[in-house]
Amino acid sequence: MQRAYYKNSIHNFMVDDETKILGELTQHYGHQQLEISQKNAWIKQIRILKSQLVGLSGFIYFEFAIPRMGKRVDNIIVIGNRIFLLEFKIGAKKYDKSDLDQVIDYALDLRNFHAGSHDACLIPVLVAEKAPSVASNLNQAIKLAEAIQLNADNLGEWFKQFHATEHINTESWEQSQYKPTPTIVEAAQALYANHDVREITRSDAGAQNLSATANCIKQIIAKSKKQKQKAICFVTGVPGAGKTLAGLNIANQHLQLNEDDYAVFLSGNGPLVTVLQEALARNTADKPKKVALKQTKAFIQNIHHFRDEYLKNTQAPTEKVVVFDEAQRAWNAHQVHKFMSQKRGMHDFYQSEPDFLIEVMDRHQDWCVVVCLIGGGQEINTGEAGLEAWMEALKTKYPMWQVYYSDLIIHENNYLGSADLKQWLNTQQIAEKSLHLATSVRSFRSEKVSAFVHALLECNHQEAQQLYLEIKNNYPIVITRNLQKAKDWLRLRARGSERYGLLASSGARRLKALGVNVKNEIDVAHWFLNSKDDVRSSYFLEDVASEFEVQGLELDWTCVAWGGNFYYKNGDWHCQAFKGSKWQNINKKEDRQYLKNAYRVLLTRARQGMVIWMPEGSETDVTRQTAFYNGTYQYLKSLGMPELD
């Protein structure tokens, strides 16, 4: 793989003709229009580096690829065993904070995902051409906590302090494996910009599983089209295994084909849809924002808007391939009837949401494929039907449809409880092993985080203790009774533009007394996408996001604020809901499971680590009794989690 547009020894770079170097850089643009500003920036960089690197020996790269971020480092300079990442800002008169974060992000990406850089000495450097000279902390830069700040005049003098005592093999370093785990926002942006999914996913077992799933669905679509058959695929997986990424990839592949086989990615997760639509529109630089947003809204849609459209329109949809994300959250017949009666004035509507959505796609005369992405144990709201409603509709009303499913649906009860439906699947439909994603790729620090959270919530004390021992070095989880300490821990841990935020259960109503108001609505696009200088962003740790805002999305670091609605006592979880001015016990099994799943979502949102804040409780406020918090705190401590000093 050619990772850079131009590479050479520093000696050969110094003697290379400027026009020759520029030619190598520009040829990578192919038929694309090269902007004059980019060409002029390269000329400036070449001239500055030629004047500043005199007398140095080593290796130099121009435009070194960072595929996960869909970007390139302006320059990498290798001197001895040190690797300097340079971000140039031609004409800049100051060191902008966002530019400093950007070059730190490049270094963090290589440290985390590029095998040859895991233990290398990486040093981020921001070169602001006309900025004043400032002192930089080399030790902090080596820790990737800060970036070195240089200008066009002191660049060479600073580099001359480094003498090569050890040398790295640059060819081996450059070609070592790159195994990224992008966030769903980064992945969607890269796919939408026509990057191949293989460029932005790892090459280990988890990614191979993801690739096998994508290929399996691709073959099912091709077979259904050829045989003029209607089919539905159920893709299951552990939290963070890449179900949404697999679905986006399928929808995007058909979008790029420009054929009549239109595809759309549908989700009932309103916050996820909003964030992805906005992120893709912001990332489309060559179009006005309104135009870009209109196009992204055609690619990614809210499933309820899709449903409402085909309540009015009795024709077949434009799309032949439809991906339903988090299909387990589709509404059951009772919830749909209640909604249609109250909100739409349709008192005779008795279909479940899965039943109606299949009926809409069944209007096609020839073929279609529905892809349902299913997360076991993730139903978090009243009226969510789970997998049973899909299977029941298919079995009773659509016998001509071909059903493809993972055999885990048969063998694990958290997907499908009905023995009758399992028997029907086992005898009449097609099991595909590749339709289950078994490995979490959300947390590149540890793939066992979701298993640890499951053991914690199921009160499997010994298993949770063992799993914590296995993850603690790569994925820190700490606890505290002090919210300010929790916030300080996040800010200290996060580097560059790594995103952090405050999370809490939507039912943790009495955290309001301590300044964490879960009833305060947030603008999810601002919260997830805006920068550190925007008070609406997650970085300010003022607005709290609940399980409904964060399901399907993720941050690098999180603070989970634990509420009194879910507390540990005598070896089990106690569930309660705040009504009026007091707590009421939750006795209904289904509602207790929803609450447990809400905490499952909150505890699996962080990619790199989390702090759990457990309030002290109050001796005078009966709605914040110490009993609601102390037992849980001691339980978490007993699993091995350290307390913050």
Side-chain angles (χ1 to χ4, degrees), residues 343-376:
K343 303 293 185 180
R344 298 290 186 268
M346 299 174 64
H347 302 287
D348 57 349
F349 195 97
Y350 293 100
Q351 288 177 276
S352 69
E353 203 164 37
D355 184 0
F356 178 70
L357 293 170
I358 297 170
E359 184 269 312
V360 169
M361 294 302 291
D362 195 54
R363 297 174 190 175
H364 284 291
Q365 295 300 306
D366 47 4
W367 72 278
C368 67
V369 173
V370 174
V371 180
C372 289
L373 310 177
I374 303 285

Side-chain angles (χ1 to χ4, degrees), residues 177-181 201-214 238 240-242 433-434 436-441 447:
Q177 276 194 314
Y178 179 70
K179 302 191 292 185
T181 56
T201 53
R202 293 159 24 175
S203 55
D204 57 7
Q208 289 170 17
N209 189 193
L210 184 61
S211 178
T213 301
V238 299
K433 186 177 181 181
S434 297
H436 179 71
L437 293 161
T439 306
S440 174
V441 293
E447 294 173 349

Side-chain angles (χ1 to χ4, degrees), residues 197 204 209 251 263 361 455 486 528 552 558 567 630:
V197 71
D204 57 7
N209 189 193
M361 294 302 291
F528 275 102
T558 63
Y567 64 96
N630 287 355

Side-chain angles (χ1 to χ4, degrees), residues 491-536:
R491 294 186 178 110
L492 183 64
R493 284 279 177 171
R495 294 168 294 178
S497 63
E498 290 178 343
R499 186 165 287 274
Y500 49 85
L502 179 62
L503 312 181
S505 161
S506 59
R509 299 283 294 277
R510 292 305 296 139
L511 291 176
K512 179 181 177 181
L514 301 170
V516 177
N517 186 3
V518 297
K519 297 297 287 182
N520 183 39
E521 290 187 15
I522 65 171
D523 184 313
V524 288
H526 294 318
W527 199 85
F528 275 102
L529 301 175
N530 288 15
S531 62
K532 291 179 180 177
D533 59 0
D534 192 320
V535 296
R536 299 167 297 178

Side-chain angles (χ1 to χ4, degrees), residues 3 5 19 81 93 203 327 364 367 408 490 631:
R3 293 185 61 90
Y5 285 177
T19 306
N81 64 347
K93 296 181 180 180
S203 55
H364 284 291
W367 72 278
L408 251 75
L490 287 181

Side-chain angles (χ1 to χ4, degrees), residues 6 12-23 46 50:
Y6 171 91
N12 289 341
F13 163 72
M14 298 295 284
V15 299
D16 255 359
D17 183 73
E18 178 183 300
T19 306
K20 176 180 177 293
I21 298 170
L22 189 61
I46 294 167
K50 276 181 173 288

